[in-house]
Amino acid sequence: MKVIEKIRAADPNRVVFSFEFFPPKTEDGVDNLFERMERMVAHNPSFCDITWGAGGSTADLTLEIANKMQNIVCVETMMHLTCTNMPVEKIDHALHAIKSNGLQNVLALRGDPPHGQDKFVQVEGGFACARDLVKHIRAKYGDYFGITVAGYPEAHPDVIESNGLATPEGYQNDLAYLKSKVDAGADLIVTQLFYDTDIFLKFVNDCRQIGITCPIVPGIMPINNYKGFLRMTGFCKTKIPADIMAALEPIKDNEEAVKAYGIHLGTEMCKKILAHGIKTLHLYTLNMEKSALAILMNLGLIEETKISRSLPWRRPANVFRVKEDVRPIFWANRPKSYISRTIGWDQYPHGRWSDSCNPSYGALTDYQFMRPRARDKKLIEEWAVPLKSVEDIYERFRMYCLGKLRSNPWSELDGLQPETKIINEQLESINMKGFLTINSQPAVNGEKSDSPTVGWGGPGGYVYQKAYVEFFCSKEKLDALVDKCKDRTSLTYMAVNKEGSWKSNVGQTDVNAVTWGVFPAKEIIQPTIVDPVSFNVWKDEAFLIWSRGWACLYPEGDASRKLVEEVGGSYFLVSLVDNDYINGDLFAVFADF
């Protein structure tokens, strides 16, 4: 979706905010950025943008990060695109790449001079300015892209003279050029950083006076450290009000005090801007989360403990998946894997799962088993422990269900989900009995949709869930469980081992909605289902995790590695649903084990 459409569709009384990131220089830096992004995106920014390195130096990495932001982190993504060192062929390559990945938003910039040069030089076959880039995008791609351009409240740095000010003529010429960018097809303006809010407010008024009517989003850069602040404001030729310098001078060597002041200053700047009726904020994060989130919390725009979800899972912002609202529950803890295995679908389930035989899941590749280095380190610390018996394996699962471990080979998420804590004591009990759980949800009967633990879909509705648990167990335990299910008609199960031996009391084409919501003036939404076809696809991944997610953490020939592989090769994977979400007791079937 285009950012301009999201801004126009927003509640006029609601403030929308967004974040900017830049491509890190190392692989570890990229991994850390995505972990930070995941946490920040949980607060539902209207979009996030990713910068294009000076002179196009990070072009490939920017394209890769933008794709993952849109499709894996699942946030509306705007990619910067500059003219520096970019002939039209490279520009079109970048635009084609992001369009094919479902992105619809570009921030069109002239760009800074190439490294080691003082002035911008038009590359042969390229563009001289952002306006020409905007014209090209509109001419070649029509209305597909939302195009944002930069606005400079104090005028572009090239126009600012040695006294730190632009001449009146230079400022007016810069405003006229900004209008020409909008007239060429830009539909949104995001400003350069500033620290004098009066200058920004005057700039907005000046823009309106010359006929610029599109939204103008203020760019806010929190002060995180003194030297970085001076370096950035010096590079951008940004005016620093005397009272800010006076406040920073006595604390400049105390980084924590500088950060605290930066949060206070950013909060006060935003308050003044919002008081003038502007309802958009763009935060330049410098790839750091604490200051940006603290400002938003101070403004009452987010709550650390209250994160709203439009669905129980986060939908990619990819334009091709905008209507997707149904998924099998099996990948609930591995959403990135699910997205990667369904990325080639022509259509995504909307309203009902329908005929689950239609979609063809992508084959398993190394991608599904790749982990960020920090996560790998945590798994080694928590799961690569000596194992002398199968009971030691039980203990790993038990500790995870109690929240004593943060990682799990079967989960891409960090720790337990809030709703799991409702049933974690029952999960602990069945894990100690040899039913090794990897996915679960409690029964819910008409909880308010803004519940902090099980809510989704926003306020005003009611949500429902059937109790569900998915686990590995031995054939002996499975046979006993199947026998007990005969007397419990509300229980439905599917079980399969690594070789595909199947046991179930449901038909091969049966689809069971296990989560649904009722909302004002909407059809019933059923975002998670259980179905045999998808379960059979998931089981290959689930069994491979025994070896590629856990056993591989031990050295070759290690006895613990052998034990993990033996359990994974001999156990069954079981999906169990209690369809009585009002009076049922899913865990009662495990009582006599």
Side-chain angles (χ1 to χ4, degrees), residues 14-34:
R14 177 175 166 261
V15 176
V16 296
F17 58 87
S18 50
F19 302 122
E20 179 172 294
F21 304 100
F22 65 84
K25 295 179 180 179
T26 66
E27 285 186 27
D28 283 350
V30 173
D31 287 344
N32 291 336
L33 174 62
F34 279 119

Side-chain angles (χ1 to χ4, degrees), residues 258-279:
V258 170
K259 278 186 181 177
Y261 174 73
I263 291 167
H264 166 75
L265 175 64
T267 303
E268 294 306 307
M269 288 173 63
C270 291
K271 283 181 179 177
K272 186 171 180 179
I273 289 166
L274 298 178
H276 280 77
I278 291 165
K279 298 294 184 182

Side-chain angles (χ1 to χ4, degrees), residues 390-400 405 432:
V390 71
E391 284 75 22
D392 290 339
I393 289 180
Y394 297 176
E395 178 67 7
R396 291 295 95 192
F397 285 86
R398 183 190 78 87
M399 289 181 69
Y400 179 73
L405 304 180
M432 289 306 295

Side-chain angles (χ1 to χ4, degrees), residues 129-179:
C129 62
R131 178 181 57 204
D132 293 345
L133 178 55
V134 172
K135 285 181 179 178
H136 174 75
I137 296 171
R138 279 285 174 251
K140 182 148 189 174
Y141 295 93
D143 197 42
Y144 176 81
F145 285 109
I147 304 175
T148 300
V149 291
Y152 299 87
E154 299 169 60
H156 191 280
D158 289 356
V159 178
I160 295 175
E161 300 192 343
S162 57
N163 64 356
L165 300 171
T167 65
E169 182 183 7
Y171 176 75
Q172 289 300 325
N173 288 341
D174 201 55
L175 277 181
Y177 173 64
L178 177 59
K179 185 173 189 303

Side-chain angles (χ1 to χ4, degrees), residues 386-451:
L387 304 169
K388 295 181 179 179
S389 67
V390 71
E391 284 75 22
D392 290 339
I393 289 180
Y394 297 176
E395 178 67 7
R396 291 295 95 192
F397 285 86
R398 183 190 78 87
M399 289 181 69
Y400 179 73
C401 287
L402 290 179
K404 294 181 179 179
L405 304 180
R406 297 291 299 174
S407 65
N408 184 309
W410 284 268
S411 177
E412 298 166 346
L413 310 178
D414 182 29
L416 298 173
Q417 297 306 291
E419 68 175 3
T420 307
K421 296 173 185 177
I422 298 171
I423 53 173
N424 65 347
E425 291 182 4
Q426 294 97 316
L427 293 172
E428 176 199 15
S429 174
I430 68 172
N431 274 287
M432 289 306 295
K433 294 176 179 181
F435 299 93
L436 309 179
T437 61
I438 61 171
N439 195 357
S440 63
Q441 70 178 27
V444 173
N445 180 24
E447 282 278 343
K448 288 187 175 181
S449 58
D450 56 359
S451 159

Side-chain angles (χ1 to χ4, degrees), residues 66-95:
N67 180 21
K68 287 185 177 179
M69 287 170 67
Q70 186 88 356
N71 293 296
I72 304 297
V73 180
C74 303
V75 63
E76 197 68 61
T77 301
M78 178 186 293
M79 190 187 78
H80 291 212
L81 188 59
T82 73
C83 303
T84 308
N85 289 341
M86 292 286 287
V88 69
E89 294 80 12
K90 284 188 176 182
I91 285 171
D92 282 336
H93 168 76
L95 291 168

